[in-house]
Structure formats: structure tokens, C-alpha cells
Amino acid sequence: MNQDRQAILYGLGAVALWSTVATAFKVALAWMSPLELMWLAALVSWLLMGVLVVYQGNARIALNTGWKTAAWAGLMNPVAYYLVLFAAYDRLPGQEAMALNYTWALAMAFLAVPLLGHRLTVKDVTAGLVAYAGVWVIATRGNVFDVHFADPLGVAFALASTLLWALYWLLNARDKRQPLVGQWQNFTVGLPVLTLLLVWGPGFQWHGGSALVAGIYVGLFEMGIAFILWQLAVHKVSRTAKVSNLIFLSPPVSLLLLFVVVGESIYPSTLVGLVLILAGLGWQQTRKS
């Protein structure tokens, strides 16, 4: 099997797992608070990545270098990003939180202007206008001329998560750490912070076996295995565009799972808004490809 075919299979595996996370988030948050879910998922992901770092023979590198970067990166990801993201999923229907979160790539393009000195092209601007028109449709649930949001705080959390995610990757543009080592170090920094927040806040509570399984699933697949598969795909492929466009397969599958598993009725405004968001992203990606 050639390298590109392997990369596409890895990429499809990652996208398949990411397609389930909106449903997993909503199921888990039915039992737990965002902070409780974050702590459990981070613990599971940290253990998984730690085992893999040791298996790859990178334990000494992970323990001795890279901690200056991890000191601030770990506070952004996992702590700030996932807490804000889970707060959005806790307040909004999964379909809306998932669709709004897809605008992070556009947020990255706009933030790269002041942070990295990039220049916006006409295509960047038009793609942003189209995609954020979709955000407006979703946020107003189709009442585009009525400035009233069903849950303005939930929408703010969802959009803030895109800014945090984009900012995290832009600030890590010059990060020389190996991806898996860096991610494990970030979680090593973030997990004690999450533990303190949990102890000072709601404390540790038992919500039953179903909640435990849901939290483990989020940590194992969304934060762990999907990340590893995507890194393998990007590393092996000859052209990044061959795998980056696979991410457009995820939203329709996510909506289907939310409908079947969670029982969410899919709003027409979500479908229209998501089409606009994906159209904007696709238009932006044609230049980058």
C-alpha cells in the first residue's frame, strides 16, 4: 500500500471518530458537568499518550525538554479550549455547537494577519463573509433579520472555542516538539489545573457507569486516537490537501448521529448555516490546495 493510500485511510479513521464526538459530548454532558467531563477525558487521554510516548522511546525527551512551551500551551489546550467547547455543547444543541466550531479555520486565517504578518486575500474575505453568514443563520435559528439569539452565551462559547483553537495552533507554529510528545506535555500541565478546579468547584462525584464510559470514550477517541491518526495522515501524505479536505465528510455524519442517537431534530437553519460554513471553507481551501 503506497504512502498516500495509507494517509487517506488514517485520515478517514480520524474523521470517522471526530464525526462521533458531537454525539459523545451530548451523551456525556447529560450526566456530567463540562468540568467533570473535561477532567475525566483529559486523564484518559494523558494516560494513552503517555503509554505511546514510552512505547516510541521518547520518554527521556518528553521529561527533559519542551516544558517552557508546555507551561502556557497546556493552559490553552486542553484547559481553556475544551472547557469553553464543552460549555458550548452543554448549552446548545449538538448540531449548532458542532457547526459553529467548524469556523476555526477561518478564525485562524484572520488571526494570522496580526500574529504572523500574513495578508488577507479577496478570497479569504469572501470566504469569511459566506461562512459567517452561516454562523448568523445558525445563531438566530433562521430569523436572520431578528437580532435575537436563543442562547447568546452558548453561541459566544462556541465562537470563543474557535478563536482559542486557532490561536493555539498559530502560537504553536514554531513549536519544535514532536506532536505526540508536545500533546502529552500539554496534558501533563493541564491535568493538575483541571484537578484543582474540580476540587475547588463541584468536587468528584460518581454519576454511574454510563457516564464513566462516555467520558472515557471522549478522552480515548476525540482527544487521543483521532489526534494520533490525523498526525499519521498528515505525516505520510505527499500533499496535505489530499487529507485536509476529508474533514468535510464529518458534519453530515455528525448530524445523522445526533438525530439517531441523541434524538435531536435537525433544524433547517442548521442545514442552511452548515452549507454556508462549508462553502466558505471550501472556497478558502481551493487557494491553499
Side-chain angles (χ1 to χ4, degrees):
M1 187 181 298
N2 63 39
Q3 290 278 90
D4 278 356
R5 187 174 297 178
Q6 282 186 343
I8 289 172
L9 288 176
Y10 286 136
L12 286 171
V15 168
L17 292 177
W18 278 329
S19 298
T20 69
V21 298
T23 297
F25 290 167
K26 293 301 292 184
V27 170
L29 289 167
W31 288 296
M32 293 181 282
S33 68
L35 181 55
E36 289 173 311
L37 175 58
M38 180 66 247
W39 181 85
L40 177 57
L43 175 64
V44 171
S45 186
W46 176 75
L47 290 171
L48 171 65
M49 289 185 288
V51 169
L52 291 174
V53 166
V54 172
Y55 175 77
Q56 292 177 349
N58 292 323
R60 181 171 295 179
I61 296 173
L63 292 173
N64 294 324
T65 62
W67 290 101
K68 287 184 179 179
T69 301
W72 62 265
L75 296 178
M76 291 188 69
N77 173 34
V79 178
Y81 169 68
Y82 279 106
L83 282 178
V84 172
L85 180 65
F86 289 169
Y89 272 94
D90 195 39
R91 299 186 65 93
L92 296 174
Q95 58 189 287
E96 294 183 349
M98 178 272 298
L100 295 175
N101 188 247
Y102 265 82
T103 60
W104 70 267
L106 289 162
M108 181 180 289
F110 290 119
L111 287 173
V113 175
L115 292 178
L116 300 181
H118 291 185
R119 297 180 63 184
L120 285 178
T121 65
V122 173
K123 185 168 283 190
D124 286 324
V125 174
T126 54
L129 290 173
V130 171
Y132 284 111
V135 170
W136 185 260
V137 171
I138 292 169
T140 60
R141 294 190 180 171
N143 298 312
V144 293
F145 298 111
D146 180 12
V147 186
H148 172 73
F149 301 138
D151 192 327
L153 187 57
V155 171
F157 280 142
L159 293 177
S161 73
T162 69
L163 292 176
L164 284 168
W165 193 242
L167 187 60
Y168 169 77
W169 286 109
L170 287 173
L171 293 176
N172 275 273
R174 296 179 179 87
D175 187 357
K176 292 181 168 46
R177 297 177 299 168
Q178 296 179 29
L180 187 60
V181 169
Q183 193 78 337
W184 178 80
Q185 289 177 333
N186 292 351
F187 275 68
T188 303
V189 170
L191 193 56
V193 176
L194 292 168
T195 303
L196 289 174
L197 291 174
L198 192 61
V199 170
W200 289 339
F204 294 88
Q205 300 180 42
W206 174 249
H207 297 281
S210 297
L212 179 65
V213 170
I216 290 173
Y217 182 91
V218 170
L220 197 61
F221 293 103
E222 201 280 339
M223 298 179 186
I225 295 174
F227 171 83
I228 295 163
L229 289 175
W230 191 255
Q231 288 294 330
L232 286 170
V234 172
H235 178 71
K236 285 181 174 290
V237 77
S238 60
R239 258 190 334 117
T240 305
K242 288 185 177 182
V243 294
S244 64
N245 291 330
L246 294 175
I247 200 68
F248 292 100
L249 299 173
S250 183
V253 179
S254 295
L255 290 179
L256 178 63
L257 289 173
L258 285 166
F259 174 73
V260 173
V261 178
V262 180
E264 282 191 10
S265 298
I266 306 302
Y267 302 143
S269 57
T270 300
L271 295 175
V272 173
L274 186 58
V275 167
L276 289 170
I277 289 171
L278 294 180
L281 289 173
W283 178 242
Q284 184 196 41
Q285 287 293 320
T286 55
R287 175 178 59 84
K288 294 183 177 180
S289 299

